[in-house]
Amino acid sequence: ASDNLTNAMKPIGFEEEKSIGGAVALVAVSRFGGLDPDVRLQQYVTMVGTGVAQYSDRAAIPYHFAVLGSKEPNAFACPGGYIFVTRGLVDALNDEAELAGILGHEIAHVSEKHALKLIRKMKMLGGTAEVTAAYLDTNPDAFDKIIDETVKSLFEKGLDKDKELDADRIGVDYAHRVGYDANGLKDFLARLASHESDAKTMKSTHPAAKERVGLLTKTIEKNFHPPGGPRLSNRYKAWVKDPAPPG
């Protein structure tokens, strides 16, 4: 029992994290409308997300960004750097600074290893062995259990409230490091607060938008003077709204 507890407390390596994240990412793609067929939109979100990730506190790992076809506004971060936004969320944004703030929030979940901490907690509660590639290969039932519980936490129950609020605070900082206006995420959430019924899954897995806006307002006023640079609304519209490619 002592050995199991010791092993369960060991950090999960990146190869194992990537395997778990890849499996969870496949569930996300299947559950939320598949990949959006707009190739330009996929390229644009990847461009913005990669820029923010390079300024994160875990910039050394590869990140993968994709837009899912669901019309309901939502975003997810899977272990290993797999990050998704839905088409409904992208269409609800006003500019690139808002997109950068959303992606910064999701990147913060990865950089802070929020899902991995949840998995490690599950291991300790279940007394399972150390999660290694060899263990996952030879214990498919345990691997499936980890995936199922992670999927439920990310897509149904949500992470702990404090982890979501931490991701807001850290994600805004990441976007600001690139040079974006730090108000991007806050401004989107302020609009969402009036239309949370249109984002049922996000509402069920995140703290209330009004509470998030209040805390972000205090964070921005305290830490960012001035709050940042451009919003890049014209570039956002050129890539997302206009049928012709940006010139």
Side-chain angles (χ1 to χ4, degrees):
S2 176
D3 287 344
N4 279 342
L5 179 60
T6 300
N7 285 333
M9 294 178 66
K10 290 182 179 179
I12 298 173
F14 179 67
E15 289 304 314
E16 291 73 31
E17 177 187 359
K18 189 168 63 173
S19 295
I20 294 168
V24 175
L26 289 175
V27 176
V29 172
S30 174
R31 185 174 293 195
F32 296 98
L35 295 176
D36 190 281
D38 189 334
V39 176
R40 288 177 57 245
L41 179 63
Q42 300 286 357
Q43 292 172 339
Y44 176 62
V45 169
T46 295
M47 176 187 73
V48 176
T50 300
V52 177
Q54 287 176 345
Y55 284 84
S56 75
D57 294 326
R58 201 181 178 202
I61 69 169
Y63 287 82
H64 308 275
F65 300 89
V67 182
L68 302 178
S70 173
K71 300 302 181 184
E72 182 184 342
N74 216 331
F76 310 101
C78 304
Y82 298 92
I83 292 173
F84 300 100
V85 293
T86 63
R87 182 68 195 234
L89 184 141
V90 174
D91 287 342
L93 302 177
N94 284 342
D95 53 48
E96 191 169 303
E98 292 185 2
L99 176 60
I102 291 285
L103 295 174
H105 171 100
E106 302 305 332
I107 292 166
H109 280 312
V110 176
S111 69
E112 297 300 300
K113 302 184 179 181
H114 285 159
L116 292 188
K117 291 173 183 176
L118 176 70
I119 293 169
R120 191 152 58 244
K121 181 179 179 181
M122 290 190 305
K123 288 195 301 168
M124 286 190 285
L125 292 175
T128 58
E130 180 183 1
V131 175
T132 62
Y135 175 79
L136 296 178
D137 287 342
T138 56
N139 292 272
D141 289 343
F143 181 73
D144 290 344
K145 182 179 179 182
I146 288 174
I147 300 307
D148 289 344
E149 291 299 322
T150 305
V151 164
K152 288 178 183 177
S153 295
L154 294 181
F155 305 150
E156 298 171 18
K157 297 184 294 185
L159 296 170
D160 294 341
K161 178 180 176 180
D162 61 336
K163 289 182 173 59
E164 292 294 348
L165 298 178
D166 277 349
D168 281 347
R169 175 181 55 81
I170 296 167
V172 163
D173 183 39
Y174 290 168
H176 185 262
R177 292 179 190 179
V178 184
Y180 291 107
D181 188 328
N183 289 299
L185 176 60
K186 175 180 71 69
D187 290 347
F188 167 71
L189 291 174
R191 292 199 309 279
L192 181 67
S194 302
H195 302 89
E196 280 193 288
S197 60
D198 297 331
K200 296 178 182 178
T201 305
M202 181 176 283
K203 182 179 179 181
S204 68
T205 57
H206 291 74
K210 185 175 181 180
E211 178 183 5
R212 297 171 68 186
V213 169
L215 292 173
L216 278 175
T217 299
K218 294 178 181 177
T219 295
I220 292 167
E221 289 176 350
K222 179 180 179 181
N223 297 309
F224 305 110
H225 308 286
R231 303 293 299 235
L232 299 180
S233 59
N234 288 338
R235 184 161 75 173
Y236 167 81
K237 291 173 183 176
W239 280 94
V240 177
K241 306 292 186 181
D242 294 347

